[in-house]
Amino acid sequence: MSRFARRALFALAALVPFGLGRPAAADSFPSRTITVVVPFAAGGPTDTVTRLVAESMGRDLGQTVVVENAGGAGGTIGAQRVAQAKPDGYTLLLHHIGMATTPTLYRRLAYDPVGGFETIGLVTEVPMTLIAKKDFPATTLAEAVKVIRRDQEKLNYANAGIGAASHLCGLLLMKAVDAPMTTVPFRGTGPAMQEVLAGRIDLMCDQTTNTTEQINSGAVKVFTVTTPERLPALPNVPTSTEAGLPEFQVGIWHGLYAPKGTPAEVTARLSQALQVALRDPKLIARFAELGTTPVAQEMATPAAHRKFWLADIAKWKPIIQAAGQYAD
Ligand code: ASP
C-alpha cells in the first residue's frame, strides 16, 4: 500500500466515530421529498389519515411528504407500485387491513403482498359505520335490516373493491342479515361517498374518518358503529350489540410500509417520525373529531407492526378460505 493510500485509509478510519462509516443513504436520509402512496382515491378515509400523518411526519423529517393516490383493485394497484419502487425510503405505502386480507384473497398478483414490504409502524385503528343515503326508508338498524331483507334485489351497496374495508364490512353485514345486495366497486370510498350523498348508492359501510362529519351534519343516515363501545365523536349512534346485531363488528387498522430492502436505518428514522406525528396534539385532536385515535407508541415500530400484520394475515386466512370468495 502506498503511503498516500495508507494516509487516506487512516483519515477515513478517523472519521468513523463521527458516523461517516455508516451507509451514506441512511446518514443523509431524508434529503428530498418523500411520497406516500395511498392505494385508494383522494377524499376517502385512508387518504384523510395519510394526509394528517404525512404533514406531521414531514415537520419532524424536515422534508415535504407528499401523498399520491393510486386507487383501484381493492388497493392492490397502489401496493404494487410501492412493492416495485426503489427501496430507498422515498416511496412509502399507507394501507389498511387490506394488507392482511390481500395475501389470501388475491391468488394472482404481480408483486409479493407480504415479502415485498418492510414495516415501519402501525398508525391507527378506525371503527366502521353503516350509513345510508338520506332518504333511505329506515332510522334504526332493525328497520334497516327489514328493508335490506325485503328489497335486497333493488338495493345497492358501495365498496372500494375486493379486500377493501368496505368490502369486508359489507360481507359481514350481508352474512349477518342473510341478504346479498348488488355491490358497486369504486376506487375508494371518497368517490363512493359522493354517490351516497347524491342518493345513487343506498348503503355503505365506511371508516368514521370518512363518515363522522356527514353523519353529524345529517347528510347521510347512520344505523350503527361496528365497535363494542359508543364513540365520543358519535355519541348518539348505537353499537351493533345495542342495535341487535352483535356479530356485526369490525375495526380497521392502518400501517406504514416501505419496499422490501429499504435499509433498517431508514425505516427506523421513518418510524421515529411516525411516533412523533402520532403524539402531535393537532393530529390527535383531528383524529378525535373523526372518531379515531393513534396507536400506542410501541405499536408504531417496525417489529410490532410486522408481528401484528402477520398475525392478522393468519387470522383472516381461514375465514377467507372458508368463504371461498377469491378476487380472481
Ligand atoms: N375506506 C375504504 C375501504 O373501503 C378505502 C378508502 O377509500 O380509504 O377500504
Side-chain angles (χ1 to χ4, degrees), residues 3-305:
R3 233 178 55 208
F4 175 77
R6 257 204 321 270
R7 230 188 272 152
L9 234 153
F10 181 76
L12 266 176
L15 289 173
V16 169
F18 300 99
L20 293 178
R22 284 185 276 138
D27 265 350
S28 53
F29 181 84
S31 60
R32 57 183 169 86
T33 299
I34 294 173
T35 300
V36 184
V37 174
V38 169
F40 297 105
T46 312
D47 182 69
T48 299
V49 165
T50 307
R51 282 176 199 276
L52 290 167
V53 171
E55 199 200 320
S56 194
M57 279 180 73
R59 272 196 296 278
D60 185 65
L61 292 165
Q63 292 290 342
T64 309
V65 181
V66 298
V67 175
E68 205 176 286
N69 300 89
T76 56
I77 292 174
Q80 176 171 346
R81 254 210 60 195
V82 177
Q84 294 172 349
K86 203 170 166 201
D88 56 8
Y90 290 98
T91 309
L92 309 176
L93 173 73
L94 201 145
H95 200 343
H96 63 23
I97 194 168
M99 285 296 280
T101 55
T102 296
T104 312
L105 270 174
Y106 287 77
R107 289 177 296 187
R108 271 186 286 276
L109 284 170
Y111 68 100
D112 184 341
V114 185
F117 301 92
E118 304 288 350
T119 47
I120 295 169
L122 290 169
V123 177
T124 184
E125 263 206 73
V126 192
M128 301 288 277
T129 43
L130 177 63
I131 61 162
K133 65 182 183 183
K134 208 172 160 185
D135 60 358
F136 192 86
T139 8
T140 64
L141 182 61
E143 288 169 10
V145 169
K146 268 192 208 148
V147 175
I148 293 170
R149 286 193 178 130
R150 187 189 69 210
D151 296 341
Q152 54 186 275
E153 253 129 61
K154 288 186 270 168
L155 296 174
N156 59 27
Y157 173 93
N159 73 19
I162 297 182
S166 45
H167 168 241
L168 299 173
C169 195
L171 283 182
L172 269 179
L173 170 73
M174 291 179 220
K175 191 162 172 267
V177 305
D178 194 23
M181 284 177 273
T182 304
T183 50
V184 186
F186 290 82
R187 282 181 307 106
T189 44
M193 176 63 93
Q194 297 309 313
E195 295 302 294
V196 179
L197 293 173
R200 287 187 287 267
I201 286 288
D202 298 301
L203 290 149
M204 178 162 76
C205 189
D206 202 14
Q207 286 107 299
T208 55
T209 32
N210 197 33
T211 61
T212 302
E213 285 171 353
Q214 307 294 2
I215 291 168
N216 286 336
S217 73
V220 298
K221 279 193 173 167
V222 62
F223 301 122
T224 186
V225 289
T226 63
T227 40
E229 261 120 53
R230 287 194 183 209
L231 306 177
L234 293 167
N236 302 322
V237 181
T239 66
S240 50
T241 305
E242 287 176 290
L245 215 57
E247 63 273 42
F248 184 48
Q249 289 209 8
V250 56
I252 303 305
W253 56 270
H254 290 91
L256 188 62
Y257 305 80
K260 179 82 192 164
T262 304
E265 295 91 338
V266 169
T267 52
R269 177 69 190 95
L270 289 164
S271 168
Q272 192 187 42
L274 174 64
Q275 290 169 36
V276 171
L278 298 182
R279 287 198 303 268
D280 176 354
K282 248 176 70 189
L283 177 136
I284 295 171
R286 185 65 187 135
F287 268 20
E289 284 170 1
L290 298 173
T292 185
T293 42
V295 295
Q297 192 177 343
E298 64 272 17
M299 297 307 284
T301 62
H305 180 185

